[in-house]
C-alpha cells in the first residue's frame, strides 16, 4: 500500500509529510506532542530548487519502513524504544545505536541509501509521537511484576515462575533490551532441563584451569552474573599464567554474556567515560591482562555498576542526557598481581589466585596437562542445560535460605547461591562454606600482611571474646593493640602515634567488615587531640 498517496490508510498527509495514525495502539499511550506539527512544517519548507527536497522524502520513506518493522514503545523512565513486530530485543531510540540496523533494513527493502542525519530526523519525529507504554526487561535475565524470571533464548523468551525451578514458555511476549553486540543464549526446550545432572556442569573442569578447591566459588559467581537483580561482585583472577587466566575468563564470559566480538577487553579503561562505553556494549565487563592498578575513578565507577548504577547516554553533539538506564554490570579482571585497591570495590571483590601448572604443593595447584581440544558442541549444550537448571534452583530457593553466621550483607546473595550450587553438585551445602571460609582466611592473611593493625584487632576480639561494641580514644587503642601486634610486623607498618592508629583503623575497615567487624570513628572530643575509635561485631 502506498502510504503517501492514500490518505485513507493508517496515516494522513500534512503539507507533504506522512503522519502515522497511532489509534490502533494500546489505550495506554502518551498523547501526541503538539510541537511536532510545527517541527514538521519547518522541516518541510520547499527549497528554491525543488518542491520536495530529496532529503525529506528519504526521512518519510525511512519512517514508513521503520514503522513496518517496529512499533514505538516507552517505559516508566521515559526511555523510548523500537520494539520489533516479529521477535528479538528492542532497540533504544538513539541514532548512534540503531543507525547500522536501520540502514541495512532500508537498503534491503527499498535499495535506498539513508544518511545518519536522515535517521536522526526520523527518530526525533517518532519520539514526539504517541507511543505504547510498557515494561522492558534489562539484563541477561530479568524479573517480571510477580517475581517471575525471564530469559531470552535465541529470540524465544522463556520464564521461571516465581518460586519455581522449571522453565516454561510464557503465554505473553515480554519486551527486553540487550546491547546490540550481545548474542542471545542458544534456544533450549523445557524438557531439556527438567532434571539436573551434576556431571554436566563439571564437563568443563578437564578443559579449563580452575583455582584448586575454589570451583564452587566460581560456579556461584557464574550463576550470580545471570541474576542482575541480585547484588553483584567483581571477580579478580591473579597468577603467572596469562594463558590459563585468559581461558577461564573467556569461558565465564561466554557462559554469561556471549558477545559477537570483544570477548576479552584489552584496552583497559582509564576514565569513567570509557567504562560507560564498555557498559553500553557488555553485560559483563571483562578486562584481561591488566598490567597496572586500575585508576581510582575507574574502580569507583565499576563499584557503582555492581550496585545498579545509572548508565546515561548523550546523543552526538548534545550536552543533555537523552537516555538513562539503571543497569547492573559485574566485572572480571585478570592480572599478574591484584589491581583492585579501592576500598568499596575491594569489599565486593572475589579475588582468586590461579594455580601455576608447575606447582606441586598440596592445596596450591596441580600437575596435569589440559586436553588440547576444546569443548565440542555436545559438551557445550549439556553444560548450558546444567547452567540453566542451576539458575532455576537459585531463582526458586535462594530467598528461602538463611545465613546463620556473621557476613557482610552485600555477600549474602553470593553465599546463598553458593549453598544451592554446593547442594546440587555435592549433595551438601557445607562444602561451599568449607571452600568459602578457607578463601576468606587466605584472603585475610594476604591483606593483613599490608595491615597488621587489622590482624591485631581480630586477635584482640578473639582472645578477649569481645561480643559488644568497644570504644576507646585513639591513644588508648594504640597502647591496647600493641600487645597484639603481629611478630612479623615491621616498625614501618605499625603506627607510633594516635593519629596513625586512626588512619590504620580507616584502612582496615573494609578488611574487618569482611570478617564481620565494624570499625568506626566518633571524631574528636573536646581538646583531646586523640580520635575516639570503636569496633563492634556486625552482621
Amino acid at each position: 500500500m502506498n502510504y503517501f498517496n492514500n490518505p485513507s490508510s493508517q496515516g494522513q498527509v500534512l503539507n507533504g509529510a506522512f503522519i502515522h495514525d497511532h489509534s490502533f495502539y494500546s489505550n495506554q499511550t502518551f498523547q501526541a506532542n503538539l510541537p511536532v506539527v510545527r517541527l514538521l512544517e519547518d522541516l518541510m519548507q520547499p527549497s528554491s530548487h525543488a518542491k520536495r527536497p530529496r532529503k525529506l522524502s528519504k526521512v518519510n520513506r525511512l519512517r514508513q519502513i521503520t514503522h513496518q518493522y517496529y512499533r514505538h514503545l516507552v517505559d516508566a523512565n521515559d526511555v523510548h524504544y523500537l520494539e520489533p513486530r516479529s521477535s528479538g530485543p528492542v532497540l533504544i531510540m538513539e541514532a548512534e545505536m540503531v543507525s547500522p540496523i536501520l540502514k541495512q533494513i532500508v537498503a534491503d527493502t527499498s535499495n535506498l541509501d539513508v544518511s545518519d542525519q536522515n535517521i536522526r530526523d526520523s527518530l526525533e519525529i517518532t519520539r514526539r509521537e504517541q507511543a505504547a507504554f510498557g515494561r522492558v526487561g534489562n539484563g541477561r535475565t530479568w524479573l517480571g511484576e510477580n517475581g517471575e524470571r525471564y530469559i531470552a533464548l535465541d529470540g524465544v523468551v522463556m520464564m521461571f515462575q516465581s518460586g519455581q525451578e522449571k522453565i516454561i514458555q510464557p503465554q505473553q511476549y515480554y519486551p527486553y533490551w540487550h546491547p546490540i553486540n550481545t548474542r542471545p543464549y542458544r534456544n533450549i526446550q523445557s524438557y531439556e532441563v527438567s532434571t539436573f545432572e551434576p556431571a554436566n556442569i563439571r564437563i568443563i573442569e578437564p578443559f579449563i584451569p580452575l583455582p584448586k578447591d575454589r570451583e564452587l566459588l566460581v560456579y556461584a559467581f557464574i550463576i550470580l552474573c545471570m541474576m542482575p537483580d541480585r547484588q553483584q561482585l567483581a571477580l579478580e583472577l591473579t597468577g603467572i599464567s596469562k594463558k590459563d587466566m585468559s581461558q577461564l575468563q573467556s569461558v565465564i564470559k561466554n557462559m554469561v554474556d556471549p558477545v559477537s566480538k570483544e570477548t576479552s577487553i584489552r584496552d583497559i579503561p582509564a576514565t569513567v567515560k570509557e567504562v560507560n562505553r564498555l557498559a553500553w556494549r557488555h553485560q559483563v565487563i571483562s578486562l584481561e591482562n591488566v598490567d597496572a592498578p586500575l585508576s581510582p575513578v575507574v574502580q569507583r565507577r565499576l563499584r557503582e555498576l555492581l550496585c545498579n548504577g545509572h548508565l546515561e547516554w548523550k546523543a552526538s553533539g548534545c550536552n543533555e542526557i537523552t537516555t538513562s538506564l539503571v543497569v547492573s554490570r559485574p566485572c572480571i579482571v585478570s592480572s599478574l598481581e591484584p589491581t583492585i585497591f579501592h576500598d568499596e570495590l575491594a569489599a565486593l571483590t572475589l579475588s582468586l589466585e590461579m594455580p601455576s601448572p608447575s606447582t606441586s604443593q598440596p592445596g596450591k595447584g596441580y600437575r596435569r596437562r589440559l586436553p588440547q581440544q576444546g569443548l565440542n558442541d555436545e559438551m557445550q549444550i549439556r553444560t548450558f542445560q546444567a547452567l540453566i537448571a542451576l539458575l532455576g534452583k537459585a531463582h526458586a530457593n535462594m530467598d528461602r535460605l538463611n545465613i546463620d553466621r556473621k557476613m557482610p550483607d552485600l555477600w549474602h546473595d553470593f553465599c546463598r547461591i553458593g549453598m544451592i550450587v554446593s547442594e546440587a553438585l555435592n549433595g551438601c551445602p557445607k562444602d561451599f562454606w568449607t571452600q568459602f571460609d578457607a578463601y576468606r582466611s587466605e584472603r585475610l592473611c594476604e591483606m593483613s600482611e599490608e595491615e597488621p593493625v587489622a590482624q591485631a584487632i581480630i586477635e584482640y576480639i578473639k582472645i578477649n571474646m569481645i561480643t559488644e561494641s568497644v570504644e576507646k580514644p585513639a591513644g588508648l587503642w594504640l597502647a591496647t593493640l600493641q600487645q597484639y601486634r603481629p611478630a612479623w610486623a615491621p616498625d614501618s607498618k605499625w603506627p607510633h602515634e594516635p593519629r596513625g592508629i586512626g588512619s590504620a583503623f580507616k584502612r582496615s575497615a573494609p578488611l574487618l567488615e569482611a570478617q564481620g567487624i565494624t570499625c568506626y570513628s566518633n571524631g574528636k572530643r573536646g581538646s583531646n587531640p586523640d580520635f575516639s575509635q570503636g569496633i563492634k561485631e556486625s552482621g
Side-chain angles (χ1 to χ4, degrees):
M1 179 178 293
N2 189 325
Y3 287 88
F4 292 90
N5 299 324
N6 187 359
S8 64
S9 68
Q10 291 183 354
Q12 57 182 329
V13 175
L14 175 64
N15 291 345
F18 176 75
I19 306 296
H20 288 306
D21 178 6
H22 290 269
S23 60
F24 56 90
Y25 279 147
S26 167
N27 291 331
Q28 298 182 20
T29 58
F30 289 105
Q31 295 299 316
N33 197 339
L34 293 179
V36 68
V37 177
R38 186 177 299 108
L39 171 65
L40 289 174
E41 291 174 343
D42 293 340
L43 287 174
M44 302 307 174
Q45 292 298 321
S47 70
S48 58
H49 301 287
K51 292 184 178 180
R52 180 180 294 175
R54 183 181 179 185
K55 174 183 177 182
L56 302 178
S57 175
K58 283 187 177 181
V59 172
N60 267 335
R61 181 60 176 157
L62 174 60
R63 294 178 61 235
Q64 178 188 13
I65 295 173
T66 301
H67 176 69
Q68 293 172 358
Y69 284 85
Y70 298 95
R71 75 167 184 161
H72 184 191
L73 183 69
V74 69
D75 68 8
N77 296 316
D78 200 31
V79 178
H80 292 256
Y81 302 91
L82 294 176
E83 179 187 5
R85 294 189 180 275
S86 54
S87 63
V90 301
L91 305 177
I92 294 179
M93 277 180 42
E94 294 288 353
E96 293 91 338
M97 294 188 191
V98 304
S99 181
I101 296 174
L102 295 185
K103 284 182 178 181
Q104 187 63 51
I105 291 175
V106 172
D108 291 343
T109 57
S110 64
N111 198 28
L112 186 66
D113 183 19
V114 294
S115 67
D116 291 337
Q117 187 60 49
N118 294 151
I119 292 174
R120 283 193 290 270
D121 290 343
S122 173
L123 294 180
E124 179 61 26
I125 296 171
T126 301
R127 184 184 290 268
R128 294 172 181 266
E129 295 177 340
Q130 289 177 320
F133 179 80
R135 292 168 58 98
V136 176
N138 176 14
R140 259 309 170 186
T141 68
W142 63 94
L143 294 180
E145 295 181 358
N146 300 312
E148 67 274 23
R149 183 174 302 278
Y150 294 88
I151 179 172
L153 301 172
D154 199 14
V156 178
V157 176
M158 302 292 283
M159 178 183 74
F160 297 99
Q161 294 176 297
S162 178
Q164 300 296 317
E165 297 183 16
K166 184 179 179 181
I167 191 170
I168 63 173
Q169 186 167 355
Q171 296 181 350
Q172 295 182 338
Y173 170 75
Y174 197 120
Y176 63 95
W177 175 78
H178 279 172
I180 291 175
N181 127 28
T182 303
R183 294 197 311 268
Y185 287 128
R186 69 173 297 274
N187 193 8
I188 58 174
Q189 302 299 320
S190 58
Y191 63 82
E192 293 182 303
V193 291
S194 58
T195 58
F196 175 73
E197 294 293 338
N200 287 343
I201 196 69
R202 294 192 181 275
I203 287 175
I204 66 173
E205 294 183 11
F207 295 90
I208 63 171
L210 284 171
K212 185 174 178 60
D213 297 327
R214 300 289 184 267
E215 73 281 356
L216 296 178
L217 308 186
V218 174
Y219 293 140
F221 176 80
I222 291 173
I223 300 300
L224 180 64
C225 287
M226 298 179 68
M227 306 177 75
D229 48 289
R230 299 292 182 167
Q231 176 59 57
Q232 297 297 307
L233 301 178
L235 173 62
E236 181 180 54
L237 301 175
T238 60
I240 62 174
S241 176
K242 291 184 178 181
K243 181 179 178 181
D244 286 351
M245 287 189 294
S246 177
Q247 189 176 0
L248 177 57
Q249 198 167 354
S250 178
V251 167
I252 295 175
K253 170 74 169 176
N254 281 282
M255 279 186 176
V256 299
D257 184 22
V259 294
S260 301
K261 54 184 177 179
E262 295 182 298
T263 300
S264 296
I265 303 166
R266 293 180 174 84
D267 293 330
I268 307 304
T271 65
V272 170
K273 184 177 180 179
E274 291 174 357
V275 175
N276 290 343
R277 187 179 299 118
L278 294 175
W280 278 111
R281 294 184 58 81
H282 298 266
Q283 301 208 39
V284 176
I285 298 175
S286 182
L287 308 178
E288 185 173 314
N289 297 331
V290 179
D291 57 6
L294 298 171
S295 69
V297 294
V298 167
Q299 294 192 54
R300 281 196 295 270
R301 182 55 178 155
L302 290 174
R303 165 61 169 76
E304 291 171 354
L305 292 174
L306 291 178
C307 303
N308 288 326
H310 282 270
L311 187 58
E312 297 169 341
W313 183 276
K314 293 182 179 180
S316 179
C318 178
N319 292 325
E320 296 182 358
I321 296 169
T322 50
T323 294
S324 179
L325 298 180
V326 176
V327 302
S328 177
R329 295 287 185 265
C331 62
I332 308 173
V333 179
S334 65
S335 59
L336 179 64
E337 297 288 344
T339 60
I340 294 176
F341 296 103
H342 184 262
D343 289 347
E344 292 185 348
L345 180 59
L348 285 174
T349 298
L350 178 67
S351 185
L352 300 178
E353 182 178 1
M354 298 293 293
S356 169
S358 60
T359 301
S360 59
Q361 299 176 11
K364 286 291 185 179
Y366 48 74
R367 281 185 178 273
R368 63 183 176 88
R369 182 181 298 274
L370 297 175
Q372 293 298 314
Q373 73 278 12
L375 293 168
N376 59 37
D377 289 343
E378 181 184 355
M379 292 176 179
Q380 293 182 38
I381 291 172
R382 289 170 58 191
T383 301
F384 182 71
Q385 292 170 355
L387 185 68
I388 296 300
L390 276 180
L391 173 64
K393 290 180 179 296
H395 166 74
N397 299 303
M398 63 183 300
D399 286 334
R400 302 171 184 173
L401 297 177
N402 292 320
I403 297 179
D404 58 353
R405 58 177 66 197
K406 295 185 182 297
M407 288 287 300
D409 290 342
L410 298 182
W411 283 75
H412 281 197
D413 285 340
F414 172 78
C415 290
R416 290 191 182 100
I417 292 174
M419 294 169 66
I420 292 169
V421 168
S422 181
E423 175 73 29
L425 289 177
N426 297 351
C428 179
K430 291 183 179 180
D431 288 351
F432 166 77
W433 290 115
T434 298
Q435 291 194 11
F436 186 69
D437 289 342
Y439 159 75
R440 290 180 71 192
S441 177
E442 184 178 279
R443 183 70 170 154
L444 174 62
C445 291
E446 293 173 355
M447 297 181 69
S448 62
E449 289 179 1
E450 298 296 325
E451 296 296 343
V453 169
Q455 188 166 336
I457 291 173
I458 293 172
E459 286 297 309
Y460 164 75
I461 291 176
K462 179 180 178 181
I463 291 175
N464 293 280
M465 295 182 288
I466 302 296
T467 59
E468 297 180 353
S469 178
V470 179
E471 282 191 15
K472 297 182 181 183
L476 186 55
W477 271 121
L478 181 61
T480 299
L481 295 179
Q482 181 67 36
Q483 307 170 51
Y484 304 92
R485 173 180 173 177
W488 53 263
D491 286 344
S492 60
K493 293 286 187 180
W494 189 259
H496 298 281
E497 57 181 18
R499 190 172 299 275
I501 199 72
S503 298
F505 266 58
K506 183 177 180 180
R507 292 193 307 270
S508 301
L511 176 61
L512 294 170
E513 182 69 24
Q515 304 301 311
I517 302 169
T518 298
C519 179
Y520 59 92
S521 172
N522 284 338
K524 294 182 179 180
R525 291 186 174 178
S527 60
N528 191 329
D530 291 356
F531 284 84
S532 176
Q533 306 286 343
I535 58 173
K536 63 180 180 180
E537 289 189 297
S538 59

